[in-house]
Amino acid sequence: MKAVSYEIESHLLQLISSEQAYHYKVVPTAMEGDELTLLTVSDLPESVLSELEIILDYKIVLSPIGEIEFNRFLNSNYRKSEALNDRVLSYSSDFLERILLNAKKIGSSDIHFEPYEEICRIRFRLDGKLTEQFKIPIDEYPVLINKIKIRANLDISEKRLPQDGRITIASDADEFDIRVSTLPTLHGEKIVLRILSKDASKFDLKDLGFTQEELKSYLESIKKPNGIILISGPTGSGKTTTLYATLKILNDKQTNILTIEDPIEYTLEGVNQVQLKESIGLDFSSALRTFLRQDPDVIMVGEIRDVKTANMAIRAALTGHLVLSTIHTNSAWGTISRLIDMGVPSFLIASTLNISIAQRLVRKLCPICKEEYPINKEILPSSFKIPESLNTHYVAKGCSSCYHTGYKGRKAIYEIIPVSTEIGEHIKNNDLQVDSYLAENNIKTLKHNAINLIKEGLTSIEEVYALLSD
């Protein structure tokens, strides 16, 4: 029996807003000429039907279906606003504003504008996954792109080179920033908008995903007056959120905190934040050199990209400062290997690194609709040895509560290696085979924590599959 598809084409979905779909209890399903077919649970009153025809400017044809089926169509294709009310921006709305506000309300982190030969698609990233939301004709695309570029103070005549900018949106309900990145492609400029919450004061380390042991170990490392704290992980793994939650704890009237970032993603009152500007020579290493003359207690460097920045961070740690930064590696121990490969002397790493952390963001299963099944070896990586304690797992199914995605929210999982005296000796001797030491000292790897999440029914095998492979 063929499964019913509840997916509706994006060119139909964009005809009706989420608010309209939930208010009138209708979902668009087909369009022919000037006739728009709407799914509904029951016939609408004549007055409501007339109202819809005026609002949508189409002749409406109703197609009644069962309530359960209708709710599946509605919740699969439209998300309710997370706002408590429908307060709108102070300026007049148009297509761009509707896109930005809608994305923010439903919890999207990024908006992708992608031009192709005949059409442009607009996708939102929700809980880490991209979903198509709108399609617009390619001849209307340049107008939309120019509006974005003007708002972000970018050069609208420059279409051959990438550009970066920033937009601030102020509404009655919220204020947020949008990071803008343009990229020339075959059929025009692709633009990605990253939605940023301006206020980092709501971040709390206790809510991010640390276990009690991991949080205790991490808090001990950040309470030291000097040294380096490094957080690794791919783009979008929550490293910046962890750093800001850390700064929130360290931020007090007795502490001078300086940050150099590219870009500044959040603002935190009491912290001196500097925007990287490589075009005028203000890079991570030169900013760090200046920071040391600013009497800092804590320094945050957005990313350690090269040996020059790494050496400046170590110099800052050696002179009595606490340095926080990120680095792109696959594991906490891989961070140490990466620094050695960069050319940083191993004895300096051993004496300055307080703690190395790796993290990932995983989607949490919807607690209402997840279903339990026996473990099947075929759905696991071939190299994975199934622990005796892992007998069942949960699978994402989908319901109205999770918009039929099967997932609701995300949490971070961590791999934390405090640099003890013994670990320091391994680093000094370039002995990078420490698996037995980590096991003996009960240091949980990303893989171990991923297995625990499967056991607890918090996530699916599919979501952490890459972490289970050896």
Side-chain angles (χ1 to χ4, degrees), residues 14-169:
Q14 68 192 54
L15 298 175
I16 295 179
S17 70
S18 178
E19 287 81 4
Q20 289 169 338
Y22 278 94
H23 176 71
Y24 292 105
K25 298 292 183 186
V26 293
V27 173
T29 187
M31 184 171 63
E32 190 172 340
D34 64 346
E35 284 190 356
L36 178 63
T37 302
L38 299 178
L39 295 175
T40 183
V41 177
S42 58
D43 286 338
L44 297 175
E46 194 65 37
S47 59
V48 175
L49 193 61
S50 300
E51 188 178 325
L52 271 172
E53 288 185 337
I54 293 169
I55 292 170
L56 302 177
D57 198 22
Y58 283 100
K59 184 181 178 186
I60 303 298
V61 177
L62 297 178
S63 177
I65 59 171
E67 187 173 359
I68 294 174
E69 287 292 286
F70 174 78
N71 285 333
R72 278 187 171 272
F73 274 106
L74 180 64
N75 292 310
S76 295
N77 293 282
Y78 290 102
R79 290 201 172 201
K80 282 185 179 177
S81 164
E82 289 185 350
L84 294 176
N85 52 46
D86 292 329
R87 287 180 287 184
V88 296
L89 290 177
S90 53
Y91 50 80
S92 59
S93 63
D94 63 10
F95 186 57
L96 176 59
E97 268 70 45
R98 282 200 294 119
I99 291 172
L100 299 180
L101 281 176
N102 189 40
K104 181 69 167 64
K105 283 180 181 179
I106 66 176
S108 172
S109 61
D110 301 86
I111 310 170
H112 291 240
F113 296 81
E114 301 167 320
Y116 296 99
E117 192 170 359
E118 297 179 351
I119 207 81
C120 159
R121 70 175 178 180
I122 300 169
R123 296 191 290 172
F124 291 178
R125 189 174 293 280
L126 297 161
D127 289 337
K129 302 294 180 183
L130 283 170
T131 59
E132 188 175 287
Q133 297 288 320
F134 302 98
K135 281 184 179 176
I136 61 172
I138 194 66
D139 57 349
E140 294 180 16
Y141 186 61
V143 177
L144 183 61
I145 289 306
N146 284 340
K147 280 187 178 182
I148 295 171
K149 292 172 81 172
I150 289 168
R151 294 282 298 277
N153 293 317
L154 300 180
D155 183 357
I156 61 171
S157 65
E158 180 56 79
K159 296 177 172 63
R160 301 165 301 165
L161 294 172
Q163 297 185 73
D164 294 301
R166 200 176 183 96
I167 299 172
T168 297
I169 301 290

Side-chain angles (χ1 to χ4, degrees), residues 251-442:
N251 187 21
D252 58 43
K253 292 180 181 178
Q254 290 81 40
T255 306
N256 179 22
I257 302 176
L258 297 171
T259 76
I260 174 71
E261 304 168 62
D262 182 29
I264 296 172
E265 295 199 12
Y266 306 100
T267 57
L268 197 57
E269 191 173 344
V271 175
N272 305 284
Q273 297 172 263
V274 178
Q275 169 68 52
L276 189 82
K277 289 193 178 88
E278 289 183 324
S279 59
I280 59 171
L282 182 60
D283 56 17
F284 285 128
S285 59
S286 62
L288 267 172
R289 195 175 295 110
T290 304
F291 281 6
L292 294 179
R293 297 193 288 270
Q294 288 283 320
D295 186 31
D297 299 295
V298 178
I299 297 171
M300 187 186 97
V301 183
E303 184 185 343
I304 291 180
R305 297 174 180 170
D306 50 47
V307 66
K308 199 173 173 185
T309 307
N311 282 330
M312 281 303 303
I314 282 173
R315 178 181 162 190
L318 287 171
T319 52
H321 307 92
L322 185 65
V323 181
L324 290 77
S325 190
T326 69
I327 191 167
H328 282 285
T329 60
N330 290 325
S331 66
W333 189 248
T335 294
I336 295 162
S337 304
R338 173 89 174 103
L339 290 172
I340 292 172
D341 290 342
M342 275 183 174
V344 179
S346 54
F347 72 92
L348 286 179
I349 300 171
S351 58
T352 56
L353 188 62
N354 289 355
I355 196 167
S356 178
I357 298 171
Q359 73 175 82
R360 299 289 189 278
L361 272 181
V362 298
R363 290 185 296 168
K364 295 190 291 184
L365 285 166
C366 174
I368 296 171
C369 64
K370 65 182 180 181
E371 291 186 4
E372 191 174 9
Y373 288 89
I375 279 289
N376 182 350
K377 196 171 183 180
E378 292 178 3
I379 64 172
L380 291 160
S382 56
S383 60
F384 181 70
K385 294 179 182 177
I386 302 174
E388 290 182 8
S389 56
L390 186 60
N391 301 311
T392 62
H393 69 109
Y394 285 84
V395 173
K397 283 297 178 183
C399 65
S400 59
S401 178
C402 61
Y403 305 102
H404 294 278
T405 62
Y407 296 92
K408 202 169 186 180
R410 293 190 291 175
K411 71 171 292 181
I413 58 172
Y414 294 90
E415 177 178 302
I416 294 181
I417 301 179
V419 180
S420 61
T421 304
E422 192 173 345
I423 280 283
E425 288 301 318
H426 280 283
I427 297 171
K428 286 178 186 175
N429 298 326
N430 282 331
D431 177 13
L432 303 183
Q433 300 301 318
V434 294
D435 290 350
S436 58
Y437 171 84
L438 299 182
E440 288 169 11
N441 287 271
N442 202 29

Side-chain angles (χ1 to χ4, degrees), residues 234-252:
T235 302
S237 59
K239 301 187 298 294
T240 304
T241 301
T242 302
L243 282 177
Y244 272 99
T246 306
L247 289 180
K248 182 185 169 186
I249 290 175
L250 297 172
N251 187 21
D252 58 43

Side-chain angles (χ1 to χ4, degrees), residues 164-182:
D164 294 301
R166 200 176 183 96
I167 299 172
T168 297
I169 301 290
S171 73
D172 296 332
D174 196 6
E175 185 175 347
F176 58 97
D177 281 354
I178 295 172
R179 192 174 77 204
V180 181
S181 173
T182 74

